[in-house]
Amino acid sequence: MRFWGKRKGDAVSDLLFPQLAGNSALRAQLGTDLRNATFSHAYILEGPKGFGKHTLARLIAMAAACESRTDGGAPLPCGHCKFCRKIEAGNCHDVITVSRESDRATMGVSIIRDLRRSIAAVPNDLNLKVYIIEDAHTMTEEAQNAFLLTLEEPPPFVLFLLLTENAGALLETIRSRAPRLRLQPIAREALEAYLLTSAEGAAAGAPTLKREASDEFEALLTLSGGSIGRALTLLDATARAPHLQYRENATRLLTLLAARDKGDGILLLLRSFGTARGEVLAQLNAVSLALRDLILLSQSERAPLIFFTDREAATDLAESFTAARLFALHGQIAAAMAVLERNANARLTLTHLFTQFVNT
């Protein structure tokens, strides 16, 4: 792109996007583009909700406009120049967010036609215009074809950032013209450091939670699945409470199964899962994740865990089962979830699951 020049120096990878947690491979890819002055006119930013797609889009826009972008000794974006500050504050008219209508499941062609009409206008403040297309995977085929006409021959001052949870839903012709930047889960240690040291984490109460309820904080890190956005949401006690209950129920159920309880304990616990399919599915998913950990621990004590935070206690629990029984229980949970996904009655499904449990 003509608005982008080569940076001086060889330390780009150390200074590139210091505000972005983790994702070293992605940052290296962008660093290569910057060093070689091969920054694309469009990128696909892919990842689950809460993985930082909007944050990365904003940082790319800041980096593209940053006054220090050719200074090899400065961070990129610097975060301090007038352009970085304006974009960070959301006050830049040259950074345009394109979204589907709030009451629509898809993004129609009319929105893309409006975009096409607007791109010819030159930038106001910056040396480029950045279009951030949210939920790009929801564009209809007609909308994607209309967008492709613009993507093939854009003005030299335009940068498109397509945010999506599933790049596979985009036409191959679009994917071939926009490099894909896949955001990865943040390592547990990096996630904890971010929550405890960032302004966002402090404002949401992360240091207080770790200090006053360390067990809940450790559970939150696990529940977050490497997503900063999800972690910040779960710092709210109201949002966190049901997930903690799911974890408690799953651990209690497996403890009862390990003791081969055949009385009312398991049945009463299963009935406490409720009758709403969504709620029961969430409960069973927690049990499935816990069983996954126990299965791996039955093979290796050093297996990576995604449910348990106390490895020693989880190992002791895993040793209460045979590997064959763990696999059988996991299969029963998976089958129950599949039945519920097909709109089966939740109470009957849980009753059938109880029968399978006591006979396994």
Side-chain angles (χ1 to χ4, degrees):
M1 299 183 68
R2 291 207 291 265
F3 63 79
W4 199 277
K6 289 190 178 181
R7 284 170 55 86
K8 303 172 184 176
D10 298 320
V12 175
S13 59
D14 296 330
L15 297 172
L16 187 67
F17 302 127
Q19 306 93 332
L20 184 67
N23 288 285
S24 57
L26 180 153
R27 292 162 67 186
Q29 179 180 342
L30 283 172
T32 299
D33 291 344
L34 295 171
R35 284 195 299 268
N36 298 331
T38 56
F39 203 70
S40 177
H41 69 284
Y43 284 93
I44 296 170
L45 311 187
E46 183 184 26
K49 184 178 180 180
F51 268 44
K53 297 186 293 295
H54 286 85
T55 296
L56 179 58
R58 185 181 71 251
L59 290 173
I60 290 175
M62 290 167 62
C66 183
E67 291 183 318
S68 299
R69 65 182 181 273
T70 58
D71 181 358
L76 185 67
C78 72
H80 303 297
C81 71
K82 62 181 180 181
F83 296 135
C84 281
R85 293 198 309 270
K86 196 164 189 176
I87 295 171
E88 176 71 22
N91 296 325
C92 183
H93 296 297
D94 292 326
V95 179
I96 303 107
T97 299
V98 179
S99 307
R100 68 180 187 271
E101 297 175 359
S102 59
D103 60 342
R104 298 292 182 88
T106 59
M107 185 183 299
V109 69
S110 61
I111 293 175
I112 302 303
R113 286 172 179 161
D114 289 342
L115 179 155
R116 292 185 61 197
R117 284 190 287 267
S118 73
I119 65 169
V122 297
N124 291 311
D125 299 325
L126 311 180
N127 56 357
L128 77 158
K129 292 172 69 175
V130 181
Y131 287 86
I132 300 173
I133 303 176
E134 298 183 315
D135 299 318
H137 56 279
T138 67
M139 282 192 288
T140 64
E141 185 172 351
E142 185 182 9
Q144 291 192 52
N145 281 316
F147 178 65
L148 183 61
L149 297 175
T150 300
L151 190 61
E152 289 175 331
E153 297 183 7
F157 51 78
V158 169
L159 169 63
F160 294 111
L161 300 175
L162 288 77
L163 280 54
T164 178
E165 296 179 18
N166 177 21
L170 297 173
L171 296 175
E172 171 60 30
T173 44
I174 290 179
R175 286 182 278 133
S176 67
R177 289 167 173 77
R180 185 187 307 189
L181 303 177
R182 173 74 182 179
L183 286 141
Q184 300 296 327
I186 306 301
R188 187 184 183 91
E189 296 77 11
L191 178 60
E192 179 176 0
Y194 181 88
L195 293 178
L196 296 177
T197 61
S198 70
E200 276 188 302
T208 301
L209 182 63
K210 181 174 175 61
R211 184 174 60 253
E212 298 180 356
S214 59
D215 288 347
E216 282 198 32
F217 184 77
E218 290 300 317
L220 178 149
L221 293 176
T222 300
L223 287 167
S224 299
S227 165
I228 288 176
R230 181 168 171 77
L232 291 170
T233 298
L234 291 174
L235 281 168
D236 178 81
T238 302
R240 187 169 66 251
H243 297 282
L244 293 175
Q245 187 63 57
Y246 301 155
R247 289 175 57 80
E248 181 181 336
N249 288 345
T251 302
R252 185 179 166 201
L253 176 61
L254 291 173
T255 301
L256 289 171
L257 288 169
R260 289 196 172 274
D261 179 279
K262 295 184 183 295
D264 294 333
I266 292 176
L267 183 59
L268 289 173
L269 180 57
L270 289 175
R271 286 181 174 172
S272 75
F273 287 6
T275 57
R277 284 194 313 114
E279 187 80 3
V280 174
L281 279 167
Q283 296 267 8
L284 293 180
N285 183 63
V287 180
S288 177
L289 294 177
L291 281 166
R292 173 265 183 203
D293 277 5
L294 297 185
I295 289 170
L296 291 180
L297 284 171
S298 71
Q299 310 299 315
S300 169
E301 292 184 359
R302 302 180 64 183
L305 305 182
I306 61 175
F307 178 88
F308 291 99
T309 58
D310 186 333
R311 179 175 292 273
E312 184 176 350
T315 301
D316 289 343
L317 185 57
E319 291 175 349
S320 301
F321 296 89
T322 64
R325 188 169 179 230
L326 287 172
F327 278 109
L329 292 170
H330 191 272
Q332 291 162 3
I333 293 290
M337 293 177 68
V339 168
L340 285 171
E341 291 282 6
R342 296 195 293 271
N343 211 27
N345 180 278
R347 178 59 64 88
L348 292 177
T349 301
L350 290 174
T351 300
H352 178 64
L353 190 58
F354 167 71
T355 303
Q356 291 181 302
F357 282 166
V358 296
N359 291 316
T360 300

